[in-house]
Amino acid sequence: MPNYKTELSYLISELEVGQTTRTVKCPFCFKQNGDFAVTRVENGLLYKCFRVACDSRGFIPSNLGEWNNHIGVPHVSRVVQRTEEYPFESHIIKLNNEHINFLKNKFGLTDEELFLNKIKWCEQTERIIYPILSENGNTKGYVCRYYKELSDKKYDGVKSRTYWINRSENYYNVSFPYRREYNVDNIFILVEDIVSSIRVARYEQSIALLSNSIPTNAMKFLIGKDVVIVLDNDATAHALKIKNRYSLFFKSCRVIAIDKDPKNMSDDELIEKIITPSK
C-alpha cells in the first residue's frame, strides 16, 4: 500500500499558510481533475476530495504524526471538524466599520448588499471573504481578496484565492448574487467577479463566472437562455471567443464591450453601458 502521508507531506514546505493546491492526484480515488484540494494551515495540511464518490478528507500534522482520515465515515477528528471546510473558518468574522466603509466607498455596495451576500472578513489572512453562493443562497466556497488598504500583512503576490467547501460534481462552479428569485426566462448577464455581479444584480439577473471563461458545468444551467457576456475591460476579445464557441447553445447571446469593470462603474454608467444595451 502506498504511503499517502509521505506522498502529500512534501507540500508542507511548498505551500504557504492559507494557500491551496488542486494539482495533486487524489491518493484515494486516483483522480487528477482539480477536485482534490490540499490546503496548508498553521499546523499541517488539510486535504479533501470533492468528488461525491470519493469524499476523502483529513488532516496531516506538520510533525508528521498520526493521520486523521475520513473516507465516508461520519466521525472525524476535532481539528478536521473545526477547519476542514476553509483553512481559517474559525477566523471568519463580521465586517467592522472600516471594512464596511471601504467596500461602500470603493464599490458602492450598500449595507443590505453586504449582509445579503454574506460578505465577511478573515482576521487570520486579513482578507475580505466573498462567499460563492448558489442560486438558492447556499455557500459553495469563498473568494478571499487582499486589499492593501485593509491589511497589515505583507502582500504575497496573490490578490485572490478561491476555496470550494461544499461543491458537488454537478455544481455550476459560478456564483449567484443574492436575489429573491431567479427567473429562467429572463436575461442572465455574465460577469467575471462577485462584486460586479452584485452591482449588476440591482437591475438584472447576473452570474459571476469567477474567471474569464464559462465553466463547463455552468453550461447545464445556461443552455437555452438569453445570455449577455460582460467581462472585464481587458477580456473583450476573449468574450467574443466565448460567444463564437457557445452561441449555438444559448437562446441568444450578446457581448457588450466595456471600458471599465462593472464593479467600478457608477449606477448611471451601469445602466447606460450594460443594462440598457442588454434589453
Side-chain angles (χ1 to χ4, degrees):
M1 176 180 293
N3 188 334
Y4 300 131
K5 181 168 65 176
T6 303
E7 193 173 317
L8 296 175
S9 61
Y10 75 95
L11 293 169
I12 292 174
S13 61
E14 292 199 0
L15 298 176
E16 295 182 4
V17 172
Q19 187 175 3
T20 297
T21 181
R22 287 178 172 268
T23 61
V24 181
K25 180 175 68 176
C26 176
F28 300 97
C29 66
F30 305 109
K31 300 293 184 180
Q32 191 170 4
N33 53 10
D35 282 333
F36 183 70
V38 181
T39 299
R40 178 75 163 91
V41 293
E42 290 183 334
N43 54 348
L45 296 171
L46 294 171
Y47 65 88
K48 180 174 181 179
C49 184
F50 289 89
R51 295 184 68 247
V52 175
C54 181
D55 195 35
S56 300
R57 64 186 76 179
F59 173 71
I60 306 173
S62 55
N63 62 4
L64 299 182
E66 293 298 320
W67 278 48
N68 294 307
N69 289 330
H70 168 68
I71 310 175
V73 181
H75 176 74
V76 293
S77 76
R78 185 174 62 179
V79 173
V80 175
Q81 286 181 326
R82 185 176 68 247
T83 61
E84 68 176 355
E85 302 297 6
Y86 172 74
F88 305 109
E89 190 166 15
S90 61
H91 296 284
I92 295 178
I93 60 175
K94 292 181 180 179
L95 300 171
N96 63 27
N97 289 335
E98 180 188 5
H99 308 144
I100 291 171
N101 290 331
F102 172 80
L103 292 170
K104 283 182 174 181
N105 293 331
K106 187 172 182 65
F107 302 121
L109 297 176
T110 65
D111 288 320
E112 184 179 32
E113 287 169 333
L114 294 172
F115 174 76
L116 293 176
N117 288 282
K118 306 179 183 180
I119 299 173
K120 296 184 179 180
W121 172 257
C122 177
E123 60 182 353
Q124 177 68 29
T125 59
E126 295 186 1
R127 289 171 177 253
I128 293 289
I129 301 297
Y130 297 107
I132 300 169
L133 302 179
S134 70
E135 57 190 304
N136 297 321
N138 296 322
T139 301
K140 297 294 184 179
Y142 303 109
V143 173
C144 315
R145 182 63 161 80
Y146 172 88
Y147 297 103
K148 63 181 180 180
E149 297 91 339
L150 299 177
S151 178
D152 293 326
K153 288 184 176 290
K154 183 179 179 181
Y155 178 49
D156 61 6
V158 181
K159 288 185 178 181
S160 292
R161 287 193 171 95
T162 300
Y163 300 90
W164 295 97
I165 64 167
N166 188 28
R167 179 178 60 161
S168 69
E169 285 185 327
N170 296 320
Y171 184 63
Y172 306 131
N173 298 341
V174 297
S175 186
F176 293 81
Y178 173 84
R179 286 182 72 92
R180 290 183 179 178
E181 62 180 357
Y182 280 89
N183 186 340
V184 295
D185 295 323
N186 289 349
I187 291 172
F188 281 86
I189 298 178
L190 310 185
V191 297
E192 186 167 338
D193 62 90
I194 291 175
V195 178
S196 291
S197 73
I198 294 171
R199 292 288 312 283
V200 172
R202 295 176 180 178
Y203 310 100
E204 291 288 351
Q205 298 179 140
S206 64
I207 294 175
L209 299 176
L210 307 178
S211 70
N212 60 5
S213 298
I214 300 178
T216 301
N217 279 7
M219 290 302 299
K220 293 181 291 186
F221 177 83
L222 294 171
I223 190 168
K225 294 181 174 61
D226 294 304
V227 171
V228 177
I229 303 174
V230 182
L231 297 186
D232 289 352
N233 55 343
D234 59 351
T236 301
H238 186 68
L240 290 170
K241 290 182 181 179
I242 293 176
K243 176 182 178 180
N244 292 335
R245 181 178 181 182
Y246 294 115
S247 59
L248 292 177
F249 298 96
F250 303 132
K251 182 179 179 181
S252 68
C253 180
R254 283 168 283 171
V255 171
I256 295 179
I258 53 175
D259 56 4
K260 186 189 299 185
D261 295 348
K263 61 179 175 285
N264 296 323
M265 292 184 179
S266 67
D267 285 343
D268 289 341
E269 287 176 313
L270 278 174
I271 293 171
E272 177 187 351
K273 297 181 179 182
I274 297 177
I275 305 305
T276 300
S278 297
K279 296 180 178 180

